[in-house]
Amino acid sequence: MLVLRLLNVIAPAYFLCISLVTFVLQIFLFIPSMFRDPSITPLFSPALLHGAFFLFLSANALGNYILVIQNSPEDLGKGLNLGKGAEVVTDWLDGSRSPGSALPSTHFCRLCARVTQRHDHHCFFTGNCIGSRNMRNFIMFCLYTSLACLDSLVAGMAYISAALSMSFANPLAFLTLLPHSISQFFSGALLSSEMFVILMLYLWLGIGLACAGFCCHQLLLILRGQTRYQVRKGMVVRARPWRENLQEVFGKRWLLGLLIPVLNVGSDYRRQKEK
């Protein structure tokens, strides 16, 4: 448990550091290196278009990241009489017991110390549980993080291609770039800044593919009306049309949520409480 609590603190700091490094490299290194053709009108130059696109991706990734933390799952355990005795406490800790006023798949998270409605999983990179209130923002965060990393990967490859006078037309060129660069770096033929960018290329590739795969897997579960917690526990869910499952998570303003970070729609349980 101590290791998990440390990971819950280190992972968000690691993500913020990677985001800051990516932003600095894009703004102060990759984009300025694109201003090399004076014949192109500055308003429609590739550098400005790429910079605007990267800022759009970054703003959405950071905005949804903040909303995932800010719109944290509601603690359903407040005001509920959970009972006394070792048996009741044990049932709550392993997630096998839910209060009568909570929906199925309600789960007690040890790290967050709260009872989460429609618990999906605990995300260490946000230091928060993912449930019905912040699921849409979490998916948008994964989507735009993946796009921002892949965009930085392409821009970084263009920078390295110009700096080292090499071509990535051959797919094997990227696979052999790292071992070849390490040998050049220790022989003194490669600058430290260029070696750092090359290492970031592989990091962006890994994060981008991981976020894209996780986003696709999460969307598949939503279409089936399931959560990761329900799949792990082997819970049977009521079959519903996939359109209803999507609307439950993304709401009717799903197109707006694709363009700008907005708060998640209220859950069924929350609307029942307000009534």
Side-chain angles (χ1 to χ4, degrees):
M1 179 59 68
L2 179 60
V3 176
L4 295 179
R5 292 188 181 277
L6 289 177
L7 184 61
N8 202 42
V9 176
I10 296 175
Y14 171 77
F15 168 77
L16 293 177
C17 289
I18 295 298
S19 301
L20 180 61
V21 170
T22 302
F23 183 82
V24 170
L25 288 177
Q26 283 270 19
I27 299 300
F28 296 102
L29 187 62
F30 298 161
I31 296 178
S33 65
M34 298 179 184
F35 286 98
R36 292 186 177 181
D37 191 353
S39 63
I40 301 179
T41 306
L43 181 60
F44 300 100
S45 63
L48 291 180
L49 294 178
H50 171 76
F53 181 67
F54 173 74
L55 290 178
F56 170 75
L57 296 179
S58 301
N60 275 277
L62 182 60
N64 283 286
Y65 179 80
I66 295 175
L67 290 178
V68 169
I69 300 176
Q70 179 183 2
N71 203 30
S72 59
E74 186 178 6
D75 187 0
L76 301 181
K78 293 182 179 180
L80 295 176
N81 184 13
L82 303 183
K84 298 181 180 180
E87 181 182 355
V88 175
V89 175
T90 303
D91 290 344
W92 270 99
L93 289 179
D94 64 13
S96 60
R97 176 173 296 190
S98 301
S101 59
L103 293 176
S105 74
T106 301
H107 175 68
F108 176 81
C109 179
R110 299 185 181 185
L111 295 176
C112 295
R114 63 161 63 105
V115 182
T116 308
Q117 175 189 346
R118 284 191 62 85
H119 177 84
D120 189 85
H121 69 283
H122 181 90
C123 177
F124 289 98
F125 286 100
T126 61
N128 201 5
C129 277
I130 306 301
S132 59
R133 294 183 61 184
N134 55 3
M135 175 59 73
R136 179 175 67 170
N137 297 123
F138 177 75
I139 294 178
M140 291 296 102
F141 160 68
C142 292
L143 174 63
Y144 281 105
T145 299
S146 175
L147 293 177
C149 287
L150 297 179
D151 176 80
S152 301
L153 173 64
V154 174
M157 291 176 62
Y159 173 80
I160 291 298
S161 178
L164 302 182
S165 300
M166 62 177 300
S167 174
F168 289 99
N170 186 359
L172 294 178
F174 183 80
L175 298 178
T176 59
L177 176 62
L178 183 59
H180 183 65
S181 301
I182 293 176
S183 62
Q184 284 188 330
F185 175 74
F186 286 105
S187 64
L190 192 66
L191 299 177
S192 300
S193 59
E194 296 172 345
M195 185 64 200
F196 179 75
V197 172
I198 292 174
L199 293 176
M200 290 299 298
L201 293 180
Y202 290 91
L203 184 60
W204 287 326
L205 177 63
I207 296 177
L209 293 180
C211 289
F214 193 85
C215 184
C216 293
H217 176 67
Q218 205 70 39
L219 285 174
L220 179 61
L221 291 178
I222 292 175
L223 290 174
R224 296 165 56 184
Q226 290 181 308
T227 64
R228 292 171 60 90
Y229 175 74
Q230 290 174 333
V231 174
R232 189 172 71 250
K233 292 294 183 178
M235 297 180 178
V236 180
V237 297
R238 181 172 58 91
R240 297 189 308 175
W242 62 270
R243 293 181 182 272
E244 294 184 8
N245 296 328
L246 283 179
Q247 186 174 349
E248 182 181 8
V249 175
F250 293 95
K252 297 181 179 180
R253 299 178 299 170
W254 61 270
L255 183 59
L256 181 63
L258 289 176
L259 301 178
I260 59 175
V262 293
L263 288 175
N264 199 0
V265 293
S267 62
D268 293 337
Y269 172 78
R270 190 176 180 181
R271 286 195 293 267
Q272 292 174 3
K273 285 185 63 177
E274 291 175 353
K275 291 181 182 180

